[in-house]
Amino acid sequence: MRIVITGAAGGLGRRVVERAVRAGHEVIAVDLAVPDRAAAVEWRTADLTDLGQVRTALEGAQGLVHLGALTHPRHPEPDVFRTNVDGTHHVLVAAEEHGIEAVCLASSVNAIGGVFSAAARYDQFPVTEEHPTYCEDSYSLSKWILEQESAACARRRPEAAFTALRLHALREDHAHARATMNELHGVSQLWGWTSFDSAAAACLLALHRSTPGHAVCHVVAARTTSETPSVELARRWYPDVPVERALTGCTGFYATDAAKDVLGWDACDEHPALSPAESAG
Ligand SMILES: NC(=O)c1ccc[n+]([C@@H]2O[C@H](COP(=O)([O-])OP(=O)(O)OC[C@H]3O[C@@H](n4cnc5c(N)ncnc54)[C@H](O)[C@@H]3O)[C@@H](O)[C@H]2O)c1
């Protein structure tokens, strides 16, 4: 498949480019500038806030992985909105014009609020994709809106597949995740994380979905960053939140059934190896 990847120079973008090439795909890498040590693929520079540039950047692609974004609410709110909300609208419009029928968008667990909220609020554990949003900050809100933009496009393009991946705290592996998120730091974000390999695998699997339509999937590791049993974490930090499915051992707080059902993505696997389902053929 000929895949265009926005945000290709970023932390996850570099991994998705490299994995897509390994899987036999043709890659068009898009970012504001070509990085110093750029992967040997076709690079196109484009500013996502400019629809004309996005139209040109997406020309000739069959699949889209949209990762480009401002990834923190510390940026001025208008900039976050222009880049993340307008940028997503622009890639969706250009994808429609170019007839791209496989679209993967980077969302975040923060679409419902969490790490950037004054006090994270959860209604039940595990958290499912149907959980209402209580987001407050510009970044989290932009990811919630990204999902609505995706849903609207899916309604008017019933032949195409749109997948919004709710990623979480991207890290190299479990050891790295544990070293960078202690118990207190993990409270607002429920000790969740995603390996870069897992996120990259989910992006490629999303382009090979067998059914069209809009889907939102948690792409979060099956085990937390903590050694404390999840039942104990829930009791200690969220004593009033109902636990609707047993949190055995160090089971993660985000339900990942949708990613399994829709993408065949396994939360128990850190995905170091390519699966045949990610490949070009
Ligand atoms: N890193 C995480 O822990 C995490 C967690 C959840 C979701 N996500 C999402 O995953 C995606 C990738 O994250 P990342 O960690 O690789 O981020 P990153 O900041 O490393 O990369 C983002 C890329 O987007 C590009 N970009 C920004 N503004 C642009 C514009 N106007 N036009 C074109 N390109 C622009 C940047 O140049 C950068 O290369 C993002 O959408 C992010 O919100 C990341």
Side-chain angles (χ1 to χ4, degrees):
M1 187 185 288
R2 195 149 197 251
I3 301 173
V4 62
I5 301 168
T6 73
L12 177 57
R14 291 196 305 273
R15 265 82 165 197
V16 179
V17 169
E18 182 267 333
R19 195 169 179 107
V21 169
R22 263 199 295 139
H25 298 290
E26 234 183 289
V27 170
I28 302 164
V30 176
D31 211 302
L32 283 170
V34 181
D36 288 344
R37 282 182 300 161
V41 296
E42 180 184 352
W43 281 87
R44 296 179 183 173
T45 55
D47 185 337
L48 294 167
T49 65
D50 182 317
L51 177 58
Q53 292 184 34
V54 173
R55 282 188 169 120
T56 306
L58 267 57
E59 257 168 24
Q62 299 160 305
L64 164 67
V65 178
H66 174 50
L67 309 175
L70 293 181
T71 57
H72 200 284
R74 69 171 161 257
H75 299 286
E77 183 143 358
D79 294 351
V80 174
F81 262 66
R82 248 193 317 278
T83 305
N84 297 6
V85 176
D86 291 355
T88 298
H89 181 239
H90 293 163
V91 298
L92 290 170
V93 165
E96 183 168 2
E97 290 171 356
H98 295 314
I100 298 172
E101 294 193 349
V103 176
C104 171
L105 307 165
S107 185
S108 164
V109 292
N110 289 299
I112 63 161
V115 72
F116 303 119
S117 303
R121 174 176 169 186
Y122 298 105
D123 291 349
Q124 91 281 323
F125 296 140
V127 176
T128 67
E129 288 85 350
E130 285 72 44
H131 192 287
T133 186
Y134 299 117
C135 65
E136 303 164 13
D137 65 282
S138 60
Y139 171 73
S140 304
L141 178 57
S142 77
K143 292 299 181 182
W144 178 257
I145 296 173
L146 168 148
E147 295 178 1
Q148 311 315 309
E149 293 176 292
S150 169
C153 279
R155 283 190 287 274
R156 70 181 191 222
R157 297 187 62 202
E159 76 290 357
F162 298 84
T163 315
L165 305 178
R166 286 192 181 168
L167 308 172
H168 193 0
L170 295 168
R171 299 289 187 267
E172 295 301 334
D173 53 26
H174 190 238
H176 182 214
R178 286 193 44 197
T180 52
M181 194 188 293
N182 63 27
E183 182 167 329
L184 188 58
H185 182 209
V187 173
S188 62
Q189 50 191 311
L190 301 176
W191 309 275
W193 69 287
T194 310
S195 76
F196 280 109
D197 285 336
S198 296
C203 290
L204 296 184
L205 291 170
L207 299 184
H208 292 86
R209 262 177 64 186
S210 53
T211 49
H214 164 72
V216 177
C217 302
H218 284 144
V219 170
V220 182
R223 57 178 169 167
T224 67
T225 56
S226 178
E227 275 187 353
T228 306
S230 298
V231 170
E232 179 54 30
L233 289 173
R235 198 172 330 165
R236 193 178 298 166
W237 297 99
Y238 293 98
D240 299 328
V241 175
V243 177
E244 298 193 340
R245 193 196 294 172
L247 294 168
T248 48
C250 294
T251 296
F253 284 73
Y254 295 89
T256 55
D257 312 63
K260 184 81 176 166
D261 294 347
V262 177
L263 310 177
W265 181 88
D266 181 357
C268 297
D269 183 355
E270 286 179 26
H271 296 267
L274 272 177
S275 74
E278 298 170 55
S279 295

